[in-house]
Amino acid sequence: MITRIRARFVIGYADGDHCLIPDGELVHDDAEILFVGRDWPGTPDREIDAGHAVISPGFIDLNALADIDHALFDCWPDASRLLGLAWSEEYLHDHGPRFTRSQEKFRREFAISQLIRNGITTMMPIAAETYKEWCEDYQDMADTAEAVEALGIRAYLGPSYRTHVPYTDGTQMLLHRDERKGLEGLDDAVRFIQDYDGAAGGLIRGALLPARIETQTEQTLRLTRQAADDLDVPIRLHAAQGIQENREMIARTARRSLPHLAEIGFLGERTFIPHAWTMPGHRHMPAEISGPEHGAGGDSIDDLALLAESGTSVIFCPIPSGHYGSAMDTYESYRERGVRVVIGTDSAPPNMVRALDLAMAMTKTLTGRGPAAQPHDLFRSATLDPARALGREDLGRLAPGAQADYFVMDLTGTHVGPHADPVRTLVMNGDGRDITRVVVAGRTIVEDGAILTVDDGDYLPRAQELLDEYIASHTVSDHAGRSLEELQPPSFPIR
């Protein structure tokens, strides 16, 4: 079926970049874009007039929360509660999964539905592992794949795996090591890719998604790199996202996280490092970590150069960075050094529009430069740049031959106000809640703000029940067995 959709603005693509088409139209068949411009000469099977709106390529979120968010109760603690979410040693050795399989599958469904509502048409999941027996597994990701297919999003999937699990003795964070479990997890991930890559009519692609660098051994990292090359899939590894992480890596390898990854040949094209803010020279980096003795090549090579020269991409997630006070310094300076930076949400709700606005404000504040982080650059970082990093010239753009992945953002809301340039208006005045239509591979999965592919009528009360149960479980895993009132006190006294 051929669909033609018109709107006040279409963000098209020409000469290697986005372009603006006022009073434009987009024509697509069941999966592929046929025409972008004005006055298509054919006769469509379906006509849609989106009115005073923007038709945009779908966002690509490569650090997309596929979980119930925990920032609501762990981004604010004072020093006495910093270890409140960590497992006790007793819990580490004597516990099972906190949730049933059906609950775990639902948490994926709910999170993915939120991604879709916010115009994210391609996602790579990230999830907490604090309520897992050890880590994600094949079955968990198979259930996620089922949710992906039912909801209709495009996804890069693979179960996470790790060789170390964090726990606490009440005074510090420690790491319990079991390399065998990490290697079994990698085997699971490879098997999942072999079974699912290309599933759901091509919407599901494989990816290797090991957990944080300090929860890996050098062997699992080397084998991950080798498996990714053999399978021709992307890798994402959280690294350079904490000072204690770098201290741990220096103790093990005499290198900071990123120089260690460079030394073992892990960095490269289609490799993604979320956050990556602990760089030499960052205002929060201690001098003993930043020195050249913990780098690679002495003073002549720094961590940003390693990323740029290898073609590795950094995923900047401004919402959780803002919540946890760990901003990269800065989006602008990384790009000036030749590092590809893509925007992720890693939050709930996964409001990519808000993330772009916050990235702009954060960068301008840190640099003190009004021209820094222009909306058009940030918009590319959520569309064209991640598509290119994935090696997907058919995503992130509205052009003939590309996949028909797009969303419609309504501009008529009184909170939006009068518009100027549509991209600046989208980033600075818009919100994910203004997205009224989402299409993936030509299939409409959101219309008039409602999801069409699944019945989500009971999602919110079920999600609340799951969150309540998750919060209550912290009293069991807490090293001191504290009550919820102690672990997570209310903002104001309850009377």
Side-chain angles (χ1 to χ4, degrees):
M1 182 175 74
I2 295 178
T3 299
R4 174 165 59 190
I5 180 169
R6 296 186 174 95
R8 177 66 184 91
F9 298 103
V10 175
I11 302 174
Y13 181 83
D15 301 322
D17 199 1
H18 293 307
C19 63
L20 299 177
I21 307 171
D23 299 314
E25 59 190 54
L26 168 68
V27 181
H28 62 87
D29 62 12
D30 290 337
E32 190 175 291
I33 295 172
L34 305 176
F35 176 85
V36 182
R38 300 184 191 90
D39 302 322
W40 181 63
T43 302
D45 300 303
R46 185 186 188 197
E47 288 266 16
I48 301 170
D49 186 354
H52 197 66
V54 179
I55 300 175
S56 167
F59 292 132
I60 299 173
D61 187 352
L62 302 183
N63 211 44
L65 191 72
D67 205 342
I68 301 296
D69 194 20
H70 53 81
L72 283 170
F73 49 80
D74 73 348
C75 68
W76 45 262
D78 59 37
S80 68
R81 290 189 290 271
L82 283 172
L83 301 175
L85 297 185
W87 291 352
S88 66
E89 187 170 8
E90 180 182 15
Y91 186 81
L92 168 71
H93 294 296
D94 186 22
H95 80 284
R98 294 186 177 185
F99 297 120
T100 65
R101 179 180 167 188
S102 63
Q103 286 178 310
E104 295 235 12
K105 183 179 178 183
F106 167 71
R107 94 191 199 282
R108 301 290 202 178
E109 293 171 354
F110 177 76
I112 293 169
S113 74
Q114 297 286 84
L115 293 165
I116 292 168
R117 289 181 185 280
N118 281 276
I120 293 161
T121 55
T122 299
M123 56 90 81
M124 186 181 282
I126 177 70
E129 292 164 329
T130 53
Y131 45 73
K132 307 292 289 184
E133 190 168 9
W134 181 267
C135 205
E136 293 174 351
D137 58 21
Y138 182 100
Q139 186 61 64
D140 183 16
M141 201 49 51
D143 288 341
T144 304
E146 187 176 324
V148 163
E149 184 169 13
L151 284 152
I153 199 170
R154 192 181 300 276
Y156 281 78
L157 300 181
S160 182
Y161 48 93
R162 56 184 175 179
T163 59
H164 296 68
V165 172
Y167 71 100
T168 182
D169 61 2
T171 61
Q172 61 182 326
M173 290 296 293
L174 301 165
L175 290 168
H176 171 71
R177 171 174 164 156
D178 188 333
E179 188 175 53
R180 176 185 58 82
K181 287 188 176 180
L183 293 171
E184 289 173 352
L186 173 57
D187 288 343
D188 256 6
V190 169
R191 181 165 63 93
F192 176 86
I193 292 169
Q194 291 169 337
D195 290 346
Y196 279 89
D197 189 56
L203 289 180
I204 295 174
R205 301 292 297 273
L208 286 169
L209 309 176
R212 304 190 309 265
I213 186 173
E214 74 272 26
T215 66
Q216 305 296 323
T217 61
E218 182 174 324
Q219 183 179 14
T220 56
L221 291 173
R222 288 184 181 275
L223 289 174
T224 295
R225 177 76 268 171
Q226 180 181 330
D229 293 341
D230 292 344
L231 294 165
D232 191 25
V233 297
I235 301 175
R236 188 194 62 210
L237 174 73
H238 284 64
Q241 64 171 353
I243 293 169
Q244 185 55 40
E245 166 214 310
N246 277 276
R247 287 195 172 115
E248 175 71 23
M249 296 310 298
I250 288 170
R252 290 188 208 172
T253 70
R255 292 281 186 266
R256 288 186 302 274
S257 297
L258 293 176
H260 174 62
L261 292 176
E263 188 173 53
I264 66 173
F266 188 90
L267 302 178
E269 299 286 344
R270 300 175 73 201
T271 302
F272 299 90
I273 307 293
H275 311 308
W277 68 268
T278 53
M279 298 288 170
H282 193 286
R283 68 197 71 193
H284 297 314
M285 278 285 277
E288 71 270 16
I289 298 176
S290 296
E293 70 273 17
H294 295 138
D299 293 321
S300 62
I301 298 179
D302 61 26
D303 295 21
L304 282 179
L306 297 174
L307 293 170
E309 292 167 5
S310 64
T312 302
S313 297
V314 168
I315 307 177
F316 177 30
C317 302
I319 296 175
S321 291
H323 286 164
Y324 294 98
S326 58
M328 56 190 285
D329 194 8
T330 59
Y331 169 81
E332 197 86 351
S333 63
Y334 279 44
R335 295 174 72 248
E336 287 172 354
R337 293 290 304 278
V339 178
R340 179 188 281 121
V341 181
V342 302
I343 305 294
T345 57
D346 195 7
S347 60
N351 193 332
M352 182 65 83
V353 178
R354 181 185 176 206
L356 298 179
D357 191 18
L358 183 57
M360 180 177 64
M362 191 179 288
T363 305
K364 290 179 186 296
T365 300
L366 289 171
T367 62
R369 294 181 56 249
Q374 287 294 304
H376 54 267
D377 288 328
L378 292 162
F379 186 82
R380 291 190 194 102
S381 292
T383 53
L384 284 176
D385 292 342
R388 287 168 174 159
L390 287 169
R392 295 292 300 267
E393 295 298 310
D394 62 337
L395 300 180
R397 70 200 64 189
L398 301 183
Q403 289 289 300
D405 293 5
Y406 64 91
F407 66 81
V408 175
M409 174 173 278
D410 180 36
L411 296 177
T412 63
T414 55
H415 62 282
V416 176
H419 71 262
D421 173 272
V423 174
R424 287 194 288 273
T425 301
L426 182 152
V427 172
M428 299 177 71
N429 291 25
D431 188 274
R433 287 168 288 189
D434 298 317
I435 291 172
T436 58
R437 179 180 296 274
V438 180
V439 175
V440 178
R443 181 189 184 192
T444 301
I445 55 180
V446 172
E447 188 170 30
D448 296 328
I451 291 180
L452 303 181
T453 48
V454 299
D455 180 3
D456 65 343
D458 64 347
Y459 272 22
L460 191 55
R462 290 175 66 191
Q464 185 65 58
E465 182 180 344
L466 189 68
L467 181 64
D468 291 344
E469 187 173 336
Y470 183 19
I471 292 172
S473 70
H474 293 145
T475 62
V476 179
S477 59
D478 179 54
H479 66 89
R482 288 170 289 182
S483 68
L484 286 181
E485 289 73 19
E486 293 174 285
L487 285 171
Q488 297 167 36
S491 298
F492 297 109
I494 296 174
R495 301 297 184 194

